[in-house]
Amino acid sequence: MTTTIYQKAPAPRPAATHKSFSWIHPQVKYDEHADFCALTMDVCQGIQTCIDVAHMSHMNRDNGTAPALNLMDTERLLRLALVSSQMLGEIAAERIEAFNDVAGKEGK
């Protein structure tokens, strides 16, 4: 006697409600220069937010108002801003080096 196991087909996946976001127009989404500009914009806005929240927390401490963050979290946020700016600088330095390498080869 042969036993056949039938598997029910999986239910179709529901459509995703998340819509991916990009600063970059779809026509240039694979352009590395446009990608770097979008990364720079995102990182700079993040750094600005970190510094703004840290600044407001320090200001609130100075005038006796309850700060948004305690001292440890404020320092962590400032460290995040610092490391983010260093990362962006390193990526920019790598790109500059690549540009200079190409220019040096073309100039010969």
Side-chain angles (χ1 to χ4, degrees):
M1 176 177 210
T2 307
T3 304
T4 307
I5 300 174
Y6 293 97
Q7 290 184 339
K8 186 177 178 181
R13 287 185 166 182
T17 56
H18 171 74
K19 303 287 185 209
S20 63
F21 173 80
S22 176
W23 298 111
I24 304 170
H25 190 278
Q27 289 180 329
V28 293
K29 74 178 188 177
Y30 296 110
D31 181 278
E32 63 184 67
H33 305 302
D35 186 55
F36 179 69
C37 289
L39 173 68
T40 300
M41 190 166 159
D42 284 339
V43 171
C44 288
Q45 287 180 348
I47 290 170
Q48 180 181 352
T49 301
C50 288
I51 293 172
D52 190 36
V53 172
H55 174 72
M56 290 308 297
S57 290
H58 283 308
M59 295 296 291
N60 288 346
R61 257 183 232 98
D62 289 346
N63 68 22
T65 306
L69 300 172
N70 62 37
L71 280 173
M72 179 73 74
D73 290 338
T74 301
E75 292 306 313
R76 287 180 179 143
L77 209 54
L78 290 172
R79 177 76 180 147
L80 176 62
L82 173 66
V83 171
S84 297
S85 67
Q86 288 172 333
M87 175 206 64
L88 194 58
E90 289 169 5
I91 294 170
E94 290 170 5
R95 290 180 180 258
I96 289 169
E97 185 176 338
F99 287 137
N100 289 337
D101 287 347
V102 170
K105 291 175 184 174
E106 290 176 357
K108 290 183 180 181

